[in-house]
Amino acid sequence: MQYISTRGNQDRKRFCEILLEGLAPDGGLYMPVAYPQVDDATLTRWRKVYHEQGYASLAFEILSLYIDDIPADDLRALCAKTYTAEVFGTGEIVPLRHLQDGVWIEALSNGPTLAFKDMAMQLLGNLFEYELARRGEELNILGATSGDTGSAAEHAMRGKKGVRVFMTSPHGRMSPFQQAQMFSLQDANIYNIAIKGVFDDCQDIVKAVSNDLEFKRKYKIGTVNSINWARLLAQVVYYFAGYIQATEQNSQKVSFSVPSGNFGNVCAGHVARQMGLPVDKLVVATNENDVLDEFFRTGVYRVRGTADTHETSSPSMDISKASNFERFVFDLLGRDGARVKALFGEGLSKTGQFDLSADPVFAQAAAKYGFVSGKSTHANRLDTIRATYEQHGMMIDTHTADGLKVALEHLTAGVPMVVLETALPIKFAATVVEALGRDPVRPAQFEGIEALPKRVLVMDADVPAIKALIERECV
Ligand SMILES: *Cc1c(COP(=O)(O)O)cnc(C)c1O
C-alpha cells in the first residue's frame, strides 16, 4: 500500500515512512491511494478469526492490507503483544454491551488510561519501538495535552526503547484523576511538564519548537497527534469487531454513533465503510462545540475562534476545528487534491470557513457516505447519564452520553445501532456525580492513585527553557 497527501502532492510513500511523520510536506494528511476491498467471503473468514483467534488476529488481518513494509510475522507479533487481556482488561478487548432494543455500547475504554485512545496509542508505542530499533534511531515526542491524549501517549511509550516523551499540560487545570494518571509515572523516558498557563500556551510551545526546523532535526522531535495515519488505521479494527459482534451474517447492516472532536474516530469508521463493511449510518455526535454538526447539517465548515470554543463537561471533544476532517473532504471531493488545498489551505487561512452547500457533492455526505450528525449539551448529557443509569443500571461517561443522545435521534428499525464508548465515567467523575448524586465505579487498579508520588516539572510558558530541558536530557 502506498500513501499520498490530501493536498495533491503525488509523492507516494510507504507505511513506515509516514509512521513517524506528521503532516505531508505540502501541509496535507496522508491517505492510502485506495481502500482495500473486503468481500463477503473475507468478512466471513474474519468473523471466524475474531471468534476463534481473537481481536489481535483480526487486527493483523486488517493492518496487513495497509502495511507491506513490515514482515508479516513481525506485524502479527506486534498485534499480539498489543491487544492482550492483560492490557485491555478483557479477552474480547472491545466487548459489546446490550443497552436496549437495537442499541449496543461498544466498550473501547478498558485500556491503561480508560479512554478509547489507548486502542490506537498502545499499538503506536509498539510500532515506534520496532521501527526506531530497525533504523537505529531515536525519537523525542513533544506534545500538549489537556488530558486524554497525553496520558494515553505516556502509557503507550513508557519504558519503550528509543523514545522519550515530553508532555506539556496546563498547570492545575486537569482533573486530579487525570493528573495522577500522568504524573505518577516514574519511567525515566517520560517527562511531565506542567506549564503555568492554559492549554493554548502548551500548544504554542509545541508549535514554536517544531517550527525551529534545525532544532527539530537535531533533536529528532516528533508528535503522536490524531492526524497520524497509524492511529487512525488501528481504530478501523474495532468497527469490524463491533460489526461482527452485533450481527450474525454479513447481509445485516449496522450503524455506529461516535462522540466526535477531531474526527479521528469517526474517520476510521468511514475507512471501514469504504472497505466494504456493511455500515448504514455513521452518526457524528458533537457537544456544544458543534463545528462538525454544523457542516453535516448545512454544508458550511466554520473554524471557531478562541472566544467561540466552549469549555464543556465532555472536554475531550472541545475543539475549534476538526484536524482529521480534511481526510473525509478529500474523498467527498473525488480526491481532488488541488481543491482540498484551496479549501483547507488558502480558504481557511483567509476566512476561517468554506461553504459546500451549493455544491452537488454535499448531498453525497449523507446519501453516499452515510454521515448524519447531531449535538448534545450539558443538560442533555446529565439527562442521558441519568436515564441510562435508571433504566439500564449502566454508568456511562459524558462523551459516551453525547454519542448515545445523538444515536437515539437516528435509529432505524431493524438496523442495530452501536454507540462507541470513548471513556469510563471515573475519568469525568464530577459530572457523573452531578447527574447521579453518587461516585462512579473506580476500577480496582486505580484505587488511591491520587496519593501516589508525582513526577512533574512545573515551568513557565517559556520556549527557550523547554528547549534547554530537551537539550539537557538528550545527551
Ligand atoms: C479524543 C476523544 C474523543 C474525540 O475523538 P476524535 O477522534 O478526536 O473525534 C471523544 N471522547 C473521548 C473520551 C476522547 O478522549
Side-chain angles (χ1 to χ4, degrees):
M1 178 62 72
Q2 293 181 309
Y3 295 88
I4 49 172
S5 164
T6 51
R7 296 202 184 168
N9 183 327
Q10 288 301 314
D11 287 350
R12 292 176 174 224
K13 301 219 169 159
R14 299 181 70 193
F15 179 82
C16 288
E17 292 178 89
I18 65 170
L19 173 64
L20 303 167
E21 265 183 53
L23 294 173
D26 63 357
L29 307 184
Y30 286 111
M31 287 285 267
V33 291
Y35 296 111
Q37 294 301 299
V38 177
D39 61 15
D40 198 57
T42 306
L43 194 51
T44 301
R45 188 168 64 78
W46 286 1
R47 266 183 202 284
K48 256 179 88 107
V49 168
Y50 178 70
H51 288 307
E52 291 172 12
Q53 298 166 37
Y55 189 90
S57 297
L58 178 66
F60 167 74
E61 294 287 338
I62 296 169
L63 296 181
S64 62
L65 300 176
Y66 289 91
I67 304 176
D68 51 18
D69 49 353
I70 295 178
D73 286 346
D74 290 359
L75 185 60
R76 194 184 282 282
L78 288 167
C79 292
K81 181 176 166 187
T82 303
Y83 297 110
T84 64
E86 204 179 22
V87 175
F88 287 95
T90 122
E92 292 154 293
I93 309 296
V94 292
L96 215 56
R97 293 202 208 98
H98 188 241
L99 187 70
Q100 65 189 58
D101 203 17
V103 182
W104 304 77
I105 305 260
E106 185 171 358
L108 303 178
S109 313
N110 296 301
T113 72
L114 307 184
F116 86 101
K117 291 194 170 68
D118 291 328
M119 293 300 305
M121 211 66 95
Q122 288 289 319
L123 180 73
L124 205 64
N126 287 324
L127 283 169
F128 274 24
E129 186 177 53
Y130 174 87
E131 182 58 17
L132 288 168
R134 201 159 70 158
R135 296 185 191 183
E137 283 179 14
E138 290 195 344
L139 184 72
N140 291 303
I141 294 166
L142 176 64
T145 190
S146 52
D148 287 349
T149 307
S151 67
E154 291 188 356
H155 282 261
M157 303 297 168
R158 62 186 294 203
K160 292 277 185 288
K161 289 186 254 345
V163 188
R164 292 184 195 85
V165 179
F166 296 88
M167 189 58 67
T168 61
S169 60
H171 182 45
R173 288 183 188 248
M174 292 191 298
S175 74
F177 187 86
Q178 285 179 314
Q179 291 185 37
Q181 276 191 315
M182 291 175 57
F183 301 169
S184 65
L185 292 181
Q186 300 296 326
D187 307 77
N189 71 329
I190 303 294
Y191 299 84
N192 286 302
I193 308 168
I195 297 291
K196 291 181 199 157
V198 295
F199 176 60
D200 280 344
D201 297 317
C202 301
Q203 274 191 313
D204 289 345
I205 291 170
V206 173
K207 266 187 218 148
V209 174
S210 305
N211 286 342
D212 181 343
L213 295 182
E214 198 187 323
F215 185 89
K216 188 177 170 196
R217 208 170 309 119
K218 183 165 178 202
Y219 292 101
K220 312 257 180 232
I221 303 292
T223 57
V224 286
N225 48 27
S226 79
I227 56 146
N228 184 295
W229 168 256
R231 272 182 70 178
L232 205 134
L233 179 58
Q235 293 171 348
V236 172
V237 179
Y238 55 68
Y239 284 87
F240 281 88
Y243 176 84
I244 288 168
Q245 291 179 82
T247 59
E248 266 156 27
Q249 334 161 3
N250 306 339
S251 54
Q252 173 76 60
K253 283 200 169 192
V254 168
S255 293
F256 287 91
S257 179
V258 188
S260 293
N262 274 319
F263 204 76
N265 198 354
V266 75
C267 193
H270 165 70
V271 171
R273 197 174 184 277
Q274 293 308 105
M275 290 170 72
L277 186 68
V279 174
D280 185 25
K281 287 178 196 147
L282 288 168
V283 182
V284 179
T286 74
N287 65 16
E288 292 88 336
N289 297 291
D290 57 352
V291 183
L292 291 166
D293 180 42
E294 180 174 89
F295 174 79
F296 286 108
R297 275 186 300 106
T298 67
V300 176
Y301 182 72
R302 185 168 58 89
V303 172
R304 308 293 199 256
T306 314
D308 293 327
T309 307
H310 309 287
E311 267 189 47
T312 76
S313 46
S314 44
S316 301
M317 290 153 57
D318 291 351
I319 48 106
S320 54
K321 59 180 169 55
S323 45
N324 275 291
F325 186 55
E326 182 169 334
R327 289 196 154 107
F328 169 64
V329 174
F330 181 60
D331 283 345
L332 184 66
L333 298 179
R335 302 202 142 202
D336 180 344
R339 205 168 160 211
V340 171
K341 185 174 178 179
L343 292 181
F344 282 88
E346 299 103 65
L348 283 189
S349 61
K350 263 193 220 119
T351 62
Q353 64 176 65
F354 60 76
D355 182 352
L356 294 180
S357 63
D359 192 307
V361 296
F362 174 60
Q364 292 186 359
K368 180 173 171 198
Y369 295 100
F371 278 100
V372 294
S373 71
K375 148 182 185 178
S376 167
T377 64
H378 182 69
N380 297 141
R381 218 163 282 140
L382 295 180
D383 287 345
T384 307
I385 291 171
R386 208 174 290 130
T388 307
Y389 190 65
E390 281 167 8
Q391 292 162 25
H392 311 291
M394 194 188 288
M395 261 194 213
I396 55 173
D397 98 292
T398 52
H399 307 77
T400 309
D402 292 335
L404 177 57
K405 186 262 179 186
V406 179
L408 297 178
E409 296 163 356
H410 292 283
L411 295 181
T412 306
V415 180
M417 174 67 78
V418 174
V419 179
L420 300 190
E421 170 211 77
T422 57
L424 290 196
I426 185 69
K427 288 199 94 167
F428 303 96
T431 307
V432 176
V433 171
E434 188 182 343
L436 302 180
R438 58 183 295 170
D439 282 320
V441 185
R442 178 182 286 240
Q445 69 272 33
F446 294 91
E447 251 356 297
I449 60 164
E450 289 89 343
L452 293 174
K454 293 191 167 54
R455 191 164 173 273
V456 57
L457 298 159
V458 180
M459 295 178 73
D460 289 318
D462 175 11
V463 174
I466 303 290
K467 282 184 172 169
L469 169 70
I470 295 173
E471 282 172 19
R472 198 166 65 235
E473 295 301 323
C474 295
V475 284

Short mmCIF file of all heavy atoms in Angstrom, two decimals, residues 113-138:
data_model
loop_
_atom_site.label_atom_id
_atom_site.label_comp_id
_atom_site.label_asym_id
_atom_site.label_seq_id
_atom_site.Cartn_x
_atom_site.Cartn_y
_atom_site.Cartn_z
N THR A 113 -5.48 3.80 30.29
CA THR A 113 -5.89 5.15 30.71
C THR A 113 -7.40 5.33 30.64
O THR A 113 -7.90 6.45 30.78
CB THR A 113 -5.18 6.26 29.90
OG1 THR A 113 -5.73 6.30 28.58
CG2 THR A 113 -3.68 6.03 29.83
N LEU A 114 -8.13 4.26 30.44
CA LEU A 114 -9.60 4.27 30.50
C LEU A 114 -10.26 5.18 29.46
O LEU A 114 -11.34 5.72 29.70
CB LEU A 114 -10.08 4.64 31.92
CG LEU A 114 -9.48 3.80 33.05
CD1 LEU A 114 -10.10 4.20 34.39
CD2 LEU A 114 -9.68 2.31 32.81
N ALA A 115 -9.61 5.36 28.32
CA ALA A 115 -10.25 6.06 27.20
C ALA A 115 -9.88 5.33 25.91
O ALA A 115 -8.88 4.62 25.85
CB ALA A 115 -9.80 7.52 27.14
N PHE A 116 -10.70 5.52 24.88
CA PHE A 116 -10.51 4.74 23.64
C PHE A 116 -9.18 5.04 22.97
O PHE A 116 -8.72 4.27 22.13
CB PHE A 116 -11.67 5.01 22.66
CG PHE A 116 -11.46 6.22 21.80
CD1 PHE A 116 -11.03 6.09 20.48
CD2 PHE A 116 -11.67 7.49 22.29
CE1 PHE A 116 -10.82 7.19 19.67
CE2 PHE A 116 -11.46 8.61 21.49
CZ PHE A 116 -11.04 8.46 20.18
N LYS A 117 -8.53 6.15 23.34
CA LYS A 117 -7.26 6.49 22.68
C LYS A 117 -6.20 5.41 22.90
O LYS A 117 -5.29 5.27 22.09
CB LYS A 117 -6.78 7.86 23.14
CG LYS A 117 -7.68 8.97 22.60
CD LYS A 117 -7.09 10.34 22.72
CE LYS A 117 -7.92 11.36 21.95
NZ LYS A 117 -9.26 11.57 22.56
N ASP A 118 -6.35 4.64 23.98
CA ASP A 118 -5.42 3.53 24.20
C ASP A 118 -5.46 2.51 23.06
O ASP A 118 -4.46 1.86 22.78
CB ASP A 118 -5.77 2.78 25.50
CG ASP A 118 -5.50 3.60 26.75
OD1 ASP A 118 -4.55 4.41 26.75
OD2 ASP A 118 -6.24 3.42 27.74
N MET A 119 -6.61 2.35 22.43
CA MET A 119 -6.75 1.34 21.38
C MET A 119 -5.71 1.55 20.28
O MET A 119 -5.14 0.60 19.75
CB MET A 119 -8.15 1.39 20.74
CG MET A 119 -9.29 0.98 21.64
SD MET A 119 -9.19 -0.69 22.27
CE MET A 119 -9.04 -1.65 20.77
N ALA A 120 -5.50 2.81 19.92
CA ALA A 120 -4.53 3.12 18.87
C ALA A 120 -3.14 3.38 19.45
O ALA A 120 -2.13 2.97 18.88
CB ALA A 120 -4.99 4.33 18.08
N MET A 121 -3.10 4.08 20.57
CA MET A 121 -1.81 4.53 21.09
C MET A 121 -0.94 3.35 21.53
O MET A 121 0.28 3.37 21.36
CB MET A 121 -2.06 5.49 22.25
CG MET A 121 -1.02 6.55 22.40
SD MET A 121 -0.94 7.73 21.06
CE MET A 121 -1.95 9.06 21.69
N GLN A 122 -1.56 2.32 22.11
CA GLN A 122 -0.79 1.16 22.54
C GLN A 122 -0.10 0.49 21.33
O GLN A 122 1.05 0.06 21.43
CB GLN A 122 -1.69 0.14 23.25
CG GLN A 122 -2.13 0.58 24.64
CD GLN A 122 -0.99 0.56 25.65
OE1 GLN A 122 -0.17 -0.36 25.68
NE2 GLN A 122 -0.93 1.58 26.48
N LEU A 123 -0.80 0.44 20.21
CA LEU A 123 -0.17 -0.12 19.00
C LEU A 123 0.95 0.79 18.51
O LEU A 123 2.03 0.33 18.15
CB LEU A 123 -1.21 -0.31 17.89
CG LEU A 123 -0.64 -0.90 16.60
CD1 LEU A 123 -0.31 -2.39 16.77
CD2 LEU A 123 -1.60 -0.73 15.42
N LEU A 124 0.69 2.10 18.55
CA LEU A 124 1.68 3.06 18.09
C LEU A 124 2.99 2.91 18.89
O LEU A 124 4.08 2.97 18.32
CB LEU A 124 1.12 4.48 18.25
CG LEU A 124 1.70 5.53 17.34
CD1 LEU A 124 1.37 5.23 15.89
CD2 LEU A 124 1.16 6.92 17.69
N GLY A 125 2.86 2.73 20.20
CA GLY A 125 4.04 2.56 21.05
C GLY A 125 4.89 1.39 20.57
O GLY A 125 6.11 1.49 20.42
N ASN A 126 4.23 0.27 20.27
CA ASN A 126 4.97 -0.91 19.82
C ASN A 126 5.52 -0.74 18.41
O ASN A 126 6.62 -1.19 18.11
CB ASN A 126 4.09 -2.15 19.93
CG ASN A 126 3.91 -2.57 21.39
OD1 ASN A 126 4.83 -2.44 22.20
ND2 ASN A 126 2.73 -3.04 21.73
N LEU A 127 4.76 -0.06 17.53
CA LEU A 127 5.24 0.20 16.16
C LEU A 127 6.45 1.13 16.19
O LEU A 127 7.44 0.92 15.48
CB LEU A 127 4.14 0.83 15.31
CG LEU A 127 3.03 -0.09 14.79
CD1 LEU A 127 1.90 0.75 14.19
CD2 LEU A 127 3.57 -1.06 13.73
N PHE A 128 6.38 2.17 17.02
CA PHE A 128 7.50 3.13 17.12
C PHE A 128 8.77 2.41 17.59
O PHE A 128 9.84 2.57 17.01
CB PHE A 128 7.16 4.26 18.10
CG PHE A 128 6.40 5.42 17.48
CD1 PHE A 128 5.65 5.26 16.33
CD2 PHE A 128 6.44 6.69 18.06
CE1 PHE A 128 4.95 6.32 15.77
CE2 PHE A 128 5.75 7.76 17.51
CZ PHE A 128 5.01 7.57 16.37
N GLU A 129 8.63 1.63 18.65
CA GLU A 129 9.81 0.95 19.21
C GLU A 129 10.43 0.03 18.16
O GLU A 129 11.65 -0.01 17.97
CB GLU A 129 9.41 0.16 20.45
CG GLU A 129 10.61 -0.46 21.17
CD GLU A 129 10.19 -1.17 22.45
OE1 GLU A 129 9.29 -2.04 22.40
OE2 GLU A 129 10.77 -0.86 23.50
N TYR A 130 9.56 -0.68 17.43
CA TYR A 130 10.02 -1.60 16.39
C TYR A 130 10.76 -0.87 15.28
O TYR A 130 11.88 -1.21 14.90
CB TYR A 130 8.80 -2.34 15.82
CG TYR A 130 9.10 -3.23 14.64
CD1 TYR A 130 9.52 -4.54 14.83
CD2 TYR A 130 8.96 -2.74 13.33
CE1 TYR A 130 9.80 -5.35 13.74
CE2 TYR A 130 9.24 -3.55 12.25
CZ TYR A 130 9.66 -4.85 12.45
OH TYR A 130 9.94 -5.65 11.37
N GLU A 131 10.14 0.19 14.76
CA GLU A 131 10.70 0.89 13.61
C GLU A 131 11.97 1.67 13.99
O GLU A 131 12.94 1.72 13.22
CB GLU A 131 9.64 1.81 12.99
CG GLU A 131 10.08 2.57 11.75
CD GLU A 131 10.54 1.68 10.59
OE1 GLU A 131 10.25 0.47 10.59
OE2 GLU A 131 11.23 2.21 9.69
N LEU A 132 11.98 2.27 15.17
CA LEU A 132 13.17 3.01 15.60
C LEU A 132 14.35 2.06 15.78
O LEU A 132 15.48 2.38 15.40
CB LEU A 132 12.88 3.78 16.89
CG LEU A 132 11.96 4.99 16.73
CD1 LEU A 132 11.49 5.51 18.09
CD2 LEU A 132 12.64 6.11 15.95
N ALA A 133 14.10 0.89 16.35
CA ALA A 133 15.17 -0.09 16.53
C ALA A 133 15.71 -0.54 15.17
O ALA A 133 16.92 -0.65 14.96
CB ALA A 133 14.67 -1.30 17.32
N ARG A 134 14.79 -0.74 14.21
CA ARG A 134 15.19 -1.19 12.88
C ARG A 134 16.09 -0.15 12.21
O ARG A 134 17.03 -0.47 11.52
CB ARG A 134 13.91 -1.42 12.06
CG ARG A 134 14.10 -2.32 10.90
CD ARG A 134 12.80 -2.93 10.42
NE ARG A 134 11.87 -1.99 9.80
CZ ARG A 134 10.91 -2.36 8.97
NH1 ARG A 134 10.76 -3.63 8.64
NH2 ARG A 134 10.08 -1.48 8.46
N ARG A 135 15.76 1.13 12.45
CA ARG A 135 16.56 2.20 11.84
C ARG A 135 17.76 2.60 12.68
O ARG A 135 18.59 3.39 12.23
CB ARG A 135 15.71 3.47 11.70
CG ARG A 135 14.55 3.34 10.78
CD ARG A 135 13.89 4.70 10.68
NE ARG A 135 12.61 4.64 10.03
CZ ARG A 135 11.87 5.72 9.77
NH1 ARG A 135 12.31 6.92 10.13
NH2 ARG A 135 10.71 5.60 9.18
N GLY A 136 17.81 2.15 13.92
CA GLY A 136 18.86 2.60 14.83
C GLY A 136 18.71 4.08 15.15
O GLY A 136 19.70 4.80 15.28
N GLU A 137 17.48 4.54 15.28
CA GLU A 137 17.23 5.96 15.55
C GLU A 137 16.53 6.15 16.89
O GLU A 137 16.05 5.20 17.50
CB GLU A 137 16.32 6.54 14.46
CG GLU A 137 17.03 6.82 13.16
CD GLU A 137 16.07 7.35 12.10
OE1 GLU A 137 14.95 7.75 12.45
OE2 GLU A 137 16.47 7.34 10.92
N GLU A 138 16.45 7.43 17.29
CA GLU A 138 15.69 7.80 18.48
C GLU A 138 14.64 8.83 18.10
O GLU A 138 14.74 9.48 17.06
CB GLU A 138 16.61 8.43 19.53
CG GLU A 138 17.56 7.44 20.15
CD GLU A 138 18.19 8.00 21.41
OE1 GLU A 138 18.13 9.23 21.64
OE2 GLU A 138 18.75 7.19 22.18
#
